[in-house]
Amino acid sequence: MYSTAIFFKEACTIDENLTTLDQIHEAAKAEFLQKGYKDASLRNIVKSLGKTLGAFYGYYKSKEELFEALVGEHYQYLIDRFKDAQKQFADLPHEQQPEVMGDISGVCMFDMLHYAYQHLEECKLILCCSEGTRFSGLIDEMVEIEVEGTHAYQRVLAELGRPSPPLDPTLEHILITGMFHTFFELVIHEMPLPDAENYVKEMRAFYTAGWMKIMGQ
């Protein structure tokens, strides 16, 4: 996982008009972004607000529960959106799938990109600061889904009389993992959104052409 050092977030003045819960969330995001989940301190979070741990425990039972509250729904959106794209493709008539390979996943990538930019801090928490939580496995989970989808597509190609050569499992895993790391680098480094959109377009063209070559299509 990436070092959190380059994502240092200066302590900010919390808006006193926010509810106590919202103040906790803002202070927690600052602490987690600066130090990562493992090294973040609940004591520092509440101290920055002039509150006590007792006040914090009125909202959450643990640091883990607090982190879950910050990123859980965003993690689930990314996973569910990706699964939905896989299902949309798999549900197409088999003879249509080779004609549109990459189209549905392309729309999915843009949806995830825009969502990540709308929830930038929370997504960076997942990508950069979640070691020690279940959320650190985002890319690994997506890789598993993509591997399953790739094998299903290979079966479709065989059914259509266009079989692909066997894929080396290690190479397959490396290529798919690299694809997701490339995509999420845009979010991590906060590329200007128009640039990020263009990079996604170029990245899709690169990987689609590569996979077609590897699959003998």
Side-chain angles (χ1 to χ4, degrees):
M1 192 51 64
Y2 304 90
S3 169
T4 58
I6 61 174
F7 305 110
F8 179 84
K9 182 180 176 70
E10 295 289 344
C12 57
T13 302
I14 303 297
D15 186 348
E16 293 183 357
N17 293 320
L18 295 175
T19 65
T20 298
L21 181 59
D22 287 337
Q23 288 181 23
I24 290 172
H25 286 174
E26 290 303 306
K29 281 192 287 187
E31 177 80 1
F32 287 131
L33 284 167
Q34 178 182 344
K35 299 179 180 177
Y37 173 81
K38 291 176 68 174
D39 293 330
S41 163
L42 287 181
R43 189 174 301 279
N44 286 344
I45 291 170
V46 298
K47 183 179 178 181
S48 71
L49 299 172
K51 300 185 184 298
T52 65
L53 280 173
F56 169 84
Y57 288 125
Y59 295 95
Y60 297 110
K61 297 177 182 177
S62 63
K63 182 171 70 171
E64 180 180 12
E65 192 173 285
L66 171 60
F67 197 81
E68 170 95 32
L70 293 175
V71 306
E73 68 174 292
H74 307 295
Y75 181 97
Q76 200 59 50
Y77 171 85
L78 295 172
I79 291 294
D80 288 346
R81 182 64 187 89
F82 188 62
K83 285 182 177 179
D84 181 62
Q86 294 282 338
K87 185 176 185 305
Q88 286 181 51
F89 182 76
D91 288 346
L92 289 173
H94 288 183
E95 63 274 10
Q96 188 180 345
Q97 289 185 18
E99 301 172 9
V100 299
M101 191 187 82
D103 292 350
I104 291 175
S105 63
V107 173
C108 172
M109 288 293 194
F110 278 105
D111 284 351
M112 291 196 299
L113 180 72
H114 292 149
Y115 183 89
Y117 271 67
Q118 291 166 7
H119 307 279
L120 193 57
E121 289 184 331
E122 290 81 2
C123 287
K124 287 180 70 172
L125 285 174
I126 295 170
L127 295 167
C128 310
C129 309
S130 60
E131 184 179 357
T133 77
R134 69 181 182 88
F135 304 107
S136 64
L138 175 69
I139 289 178
D140 290 339
E141 187 169 351
M142 287 187 163
V143 168
E144 289 182 12
I145 296 167
E146 180 68 15
V147 167
E148 291 178 7
T150 299
H151 294 172
Y153 182 56
Q154 285 183 294
R155 292 192 290 271
V156 168
L157 289 174
E159 176 188 308
L160 295 174
R162 300 168 55 178
S164 66
L167 290 176
D168 179 271
T170 301
L171 177 61
E172 179 184 35
H173 189 272
I174 289 171
L175 291 174
I176 292 175
T177 301
M179 179 182 70
F180 285 111
H181 278 294
T182 300
F183 173 74
F184 284 119
E185 281 289 317
L186 304 175
V187 178
I188 290 169
H189 294 291
E190 299 184 33
M191 299 284 184
L193 183 56
D195 290 344
E197 291 172 334
N198 184 58
Y199 293 150
V200 168
K201 186 186 302 181
E202 295 296 324
M203 183 187 77
R204 282 185 52 236
F206 175 84
Y207 278 102
T208 298
W211 278 110
M212 289 180 69
K213 176 69 174 179
I214 289 173
M215 290 184 167
Q217 307 299 309

